[in-house]
């Protein structure tokens, strides 16, 4: 699916779906080729029946969030990013979104 962020008119593209086994790490990737210099990359998730929940943001390199066992990588050219779920559990099944802003 794709998601457009109105503020920057920047498009992002993600895989329609991914599956993994419990405790087997998975990388969720996002492409954002039109990213602006001032844009941060944000990742959210939406659990079934819940509202969106902010996970992490970054502009370059990588960022660990130990309390929810995720790591965000940003490519050197900033045109793509990947959110790694290090030890996913059934409770992590959700829709994951990336956005620019």
């Amino acid at each position: 699916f794709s998601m457009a962020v109105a503020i920057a008119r920047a498009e992002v593209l993600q895989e329609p779906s991914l599956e993994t086994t419990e405790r087997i790490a998975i990388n969720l990737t996002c492409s954002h080729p039109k990213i602006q210099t001032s844009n941060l990359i944000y990742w959210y998730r939406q659990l079934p029946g819940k509202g969106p929940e902010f996970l992490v943001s970054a502009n370059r390199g990588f960022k660990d969030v130990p309390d929810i066992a995720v790591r965000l990588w940003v490519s050197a050219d900033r045109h793509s990013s990947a959110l790694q779920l290090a030890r996913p559990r059934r409770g992590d099944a959700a829709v994951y979104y990336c956005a620019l802003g």
Side-chain angles (χ1 to χ4, degrees):
F1 53 86
S2 65
M3 177 179 169
V5 178
I7 296 171
R9 303 300 302 165
E11 294 181 3
V12 300
L13 299 171
Q14 298 175 249
E15 302 102 335
S17 65
L18 287 174
E19 293 183 10
T20 188
T21 304
E22 277 195 295
R23 302 200 176 276
I24 302 298
I26 188 171
N27 289 321
L28 311 176
T29 61
C30 182
S31 173
H32 26 81
K34 297 180 182 178
I35 191 169
Q36 305 287 315
T37 305
S38 59
N39 287 148
L40 281 176
I41 300 156
Y42 297 87
W43 279 83
Y44 297 84
R45 74 175 173 185
Q46 189 166 10
L47 297 166
K50 305 282 185 174
E53 168 192 11
F54 171 75
L55 295 175
V56 62
S57 66
N59 62 356
R60 59 177 40 90
F62 68 89
K63 188 171 185 181
D64 284 314
V65 188
D67 54 327
I68 54 173
V70 302
R71 171 178 273 193
L72 174 59
W73 277 281
V74 179
S75 65
D77 64 7
R78 301 182 71 233
H79 289 177
S80 63
S81 61
L83 184 75
Q84 182 185 67
L85 306 181
R87 295 179 301 279
R89 298 166 300 168
R90 288 184 187 272
D92 292 318
V95 178
Y96 289 79
Y97 300 96
C98 74
L100 302 178

